[in-house]
Amino acid sequence: MTASKSPKRETSETAPTIQTVERAAVVLGSFTVAKPYLSLNELTASLGTSKATAHRYTKALRAAHLLRYDERTALYSLGPQVLTLAASARAGLPIVAAAEPYMESLLHEVDETVVLSVWDGETATVVRSVDNTDHIIRIGVRSGARLDLTDSAQGRVFCSFLPPEQVPGLKSILRRAPELAAEFDTIRELGLSLNSPDINGVRTIAAPIFEGETIVAAMAIVGTAVTVSADVDSPMARALVRTTRALSEGLGGH
């Protein structure tokens, strides 16, 4: 008869492993967009351990390509493996799978690049892009690209429909550019954001996607100033709004 391990013994044996994972998560979670580079002292403070312990964790994370170390500056940053994990995480978001057939349908209807973005806590981040249009010159948008908060059509959609406290620095932005408040009101009224071309000749129109009453993504059509109309009531704009509303209804949105 084989004796099985008692729950108490299993708990005591797995506790160090759990602590290791938790500490590794603390190290990786210490990096933010605002602070992409951290010193060993800063990581030690985040962990609440000795410097020797913090160094041991950073060494292991560097070996796994989850951290980089710059000997010139003596600063750490997130490693290339994090990008791979982030891309996998974004690809696995439920909204991506739900939106794909709608994006493909819209692509065939308007023959322009269609982009899906989600909120990453600070700005809009592209999670899916379909650009297999019939145009000789295609506009591609890279998955993982972080879009400008107020200069991009997608960023403005999130600014318009997210609770203000969820948009870092929004109050300061509106103090510097009070005209944006009226723009956000218009976006909420139309359910559409239009980013007219500046220097590069690219025009984007974007619309929100809701789950219940909460915005979960923004879908955009990206093309040139020649192929994408600046008219918010153009057939292309109406097709985008129709698509995002259908997707929102499928998700239980309004």
Side-chain angles (χ1 to χ4, degrees):
M1 183 173 179
T2 303
S4 60
K5 293 181 181 178
S6 68
K8 184 176 181 180
R9 182 182 176 93
E10 281 189 3
T11 301
S12 63
E13 287 180 348
T14 57
T17 301
I18 293 172
Q19 184 184 60
T20 298
V21 173
E22 289 175 342
R23 285 180 172 177
V26 168
V27 171
L28 297 175
S30 298
F31 296 90
T32 65
V33 174
K35 292 212 70 175
Y37 302 99
L38 295 172
S39 66
L40 182 60
N41 286 338
E42 288 173 311
L43 292 174
T44 300
S46 295
L47 280 171
T49 62
S50 67
K51 186 177 286 188
T53 298
H55 183 264
R56 189 166 67 250
Y57 278 93
T58 59
K59 185 177 180 180
L61 290 169
R62 286 174 62 192
H65 304 292
L66 291 167
L67 280 186
R68 284 194 188 97
Y69 179 69
D70 188 332
E71 294 185 0
R72 182 178 55 83
T73 61
L75 293 176
Y76 292 88
S77 61
L78 293 175
Q81 184 62 21
V82 173
L83 297 176
T84 302
L85 294 174
S88 299
R90 286 191 294 267
L93 290 172
I95 185 59
V96 177
E100 279 189 341
Y102 292 88
M103 296 176 70
E104 291 290 346
S105 177
L106 183 61
L107 170 72
H108 292 309
E109 182 174 355
V110 302
D111 196 29
E112 296 288 349
T113 297
V114 179
V115 175
L116 184 74
S117 303
V118 298
W119 183 249
D120 70 2
E122 294 184 337
T123 193
T125 297
V126 176
V127 291
R128 185 81 171 90
S129 176
V130 289
D131 60 2
N132 51 325
T133 69
D134 291 331
H135 297 305
I136 296 175
I137 299 175
R138 298 179 180 179
I139 296 178
V141 181
R142 177 179 58 83
S143 291
R146 302 180 80 245
L147 307 175
D148 189 277
L149 184 61
T150 56
D151 286 344
S152 70
Q154 297 98 309
R156 291 191 181 198
V157 164
F158 283 106
C159 286
S160 301
F161 290 98
L162 281 172
E165 63 274 12
Q166 292 186 22
V167 183
L170 183 59
K171 289 182 178 179
S172 299
I173 291 170
L174 292 176
R175 279 197 299 270
R176 295 193 303 269
E179 69 279 2
L180 283 175
E183 171 70 12
F184 296 158
D185 287 340
T186 301
I187 292 170
R188 283 188 286 268
E189 179 183 349
L190 297 175
L192 189 74
S193 173
L194 189 148
N195 184 30
S196 294
D198 187 6
I199 297 173
N200 56 15
V202 174
R203 177 173 284 140
T204 304
I205 51 177
I209 298 166
F210 296 94
E211 185 172 352
E213 297 295 318
T214 304
I215 182 172
V216 292
M219 190 180 295
I221 296 172
V222 183
T224 69
V226 175
T227 59
V228 178
S229 172
D231 182 2
V232 295
D233 197 38
S234 69
M236 195 173 289
R238 290 199 301 270
L240 174 62
V241 171
R242 186 172 63 251
T243 300
T244 53
R245 285 179 178 172
L247 176 53
S248 294
E249 288 173 5
L251 295 171
H254 59 261

